[in-house]
């Protein structure tokens, strides 16, 4: 009886791990799409709202879900004059603090880091061009993430169950 309970727990744990991995594949395209929409909102704030960058980041972050809300809010927070950080340093700090809670990968992180290098250092039109370039890069990554989701989401669920069964077979 105890062996059966142990086997069921091993299979359950492996299956849950597979489902969690599948969830990451499902969340990544959605979070990239939300980041793209946030950057489009930031473009609007910078070009038409004529907002200073900290205010534009704060306004952009308000309607977002976590972890992107935290990313934009922290970037805005660190740009406050009392901290003395540049827009690049603030965005880098916010990326490092909040990225691990997202399902996005290194490619998206690198696109945002590249954007950080140009924000606050050039005129409004140049910043809008850099944001548009980042949006284009993220759109490419979103298409890749959707392909990965189709390819790996179901496989991850099945693999979790199968690995659990394999562990049970090997132990007993």
């Amino acid at each position: 009886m105890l062996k059966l309970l142990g086997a069921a727990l091993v299979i359950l744990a492996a299956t849950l791990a597979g489902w969690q991995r599948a969830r990451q594949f499902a969340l990544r395209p959605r979070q990239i799409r939300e980041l793209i929409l946030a950057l489009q909102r930031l473009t609007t704030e910078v070009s038409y709202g004529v907002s200073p960058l900290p205010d534009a980041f704060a306004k952009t972050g308000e309607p977002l879900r976590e972890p992107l809300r935290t990313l934009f809010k922290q970037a805005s927070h660190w740009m406050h004059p009392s901290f003395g950080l540049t827009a690049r340093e603030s965005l880098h700090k916010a990326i490092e603090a909040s990225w691990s809670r997202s399902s996005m990968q290194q490619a998206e992180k690198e696109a945002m880091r590249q954007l950080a290098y140009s924000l606050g250092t050039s005129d409004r039109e140049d910043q809008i061009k850099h944001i548009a370039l980042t949006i284009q890069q993220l759109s490419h990554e979103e298409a890749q993430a959707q392909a990965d989701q189709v390819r790996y989401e179901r496989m991850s669920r099945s693999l979790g169950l199968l690995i659990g069964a394999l562990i049970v077979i090997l132990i007993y």
Side-chain angles (χ1 to χ4, degrees):
M1 180 67 178
L2 203 51
K3 281 186 175 184
L4 188 59
L5 180 62
L9 287 176
V10 167
I11 289 175
L12 178 66
T15 301
L16 288 176
W19 279 77
Q20 177 61 24
R21 183 68 181 139
R23 184 175 177 268
Q24 295 297 317
F25 282 113
L27 283 176
R28 183 174 174 228
R30 191 189 85 204
Q31 287 181 352
I32 295 171
R33 168 59 39 204
E34 191 173 3
L35 182 58
I36 289 170
L37 293 173
L39 290 176
Q40 289 170 342
R41 221 175 283 127
L42 181 65
T43 301
T44 303
E45 282 295 326
V46 168
S47 61
Y48 300 113
V50 194
S51 300
L53 215 44
D55 294 341
F57 268 92
K59 288 178 186 175
T60 300
E62 283 175 13
L64 300 177
R65 290 183 236 159
E66 292 298 332
L68 293 176
R69 174 184 292 152
T70 302
L71 172 73
F72 282 92
K73 291 288 188 175
Q74 283 185 351
S76 172
H77 173 74
W78 289 112
M79 282 185 217
H80 193 271
S82 63
F83 292 108
L85 297 176
T86 64
R88 184 190 78 187
E89 294 166 339
S90 300
L91 191 53
H92 277 276
K93 201 168 188 158
I95 289 169
E96 294 304 319
S98 64
W99 206 263
S100 62
R101 292 190 309 264
S102 77
S103 295
M104 292 184 279
Q105 295 180 350
Q106 189 65 33
E108 295 88 24
K109 182 178 182 179
E110 192 57 38
M112 287 299 292
R113 289 178 61 105
Q114 290 299 320
L115 174 63
Y117 283 110
S118 63
L119 287 180
T121 59
S122 56
D123 64 346
R124 179 172 292 132
E125 288 79 25
D126 194 41
Q127 290 182 43
I128 292 169
K129 287 178 188 175
H130 284 288
I131 295 171
L133 178 62
T134 302
I135 290 171
Q136 185 179 14
Q137 290 172 337
L138 290 172
S139 295
H140 178 266
E141 292 301 325
E142 180 190 15
Q144 182 65 39
Q146 288 172 342
D148 288 348
Q149 178 184 4
V150 168
R151 190 176 312 130
Y152 298 121
E153 184 178 17
R154 185 172 172 204
M155 182 185 70
S156 295
R157 288 187 183 126
S158 301
L159 203 55
L161 176 67
L162 292 175
I163 288 175
L166 177 65
I167 291 171
V168 168
I169 290 170
L170 290 175
I171 289 176
Y172 299 108

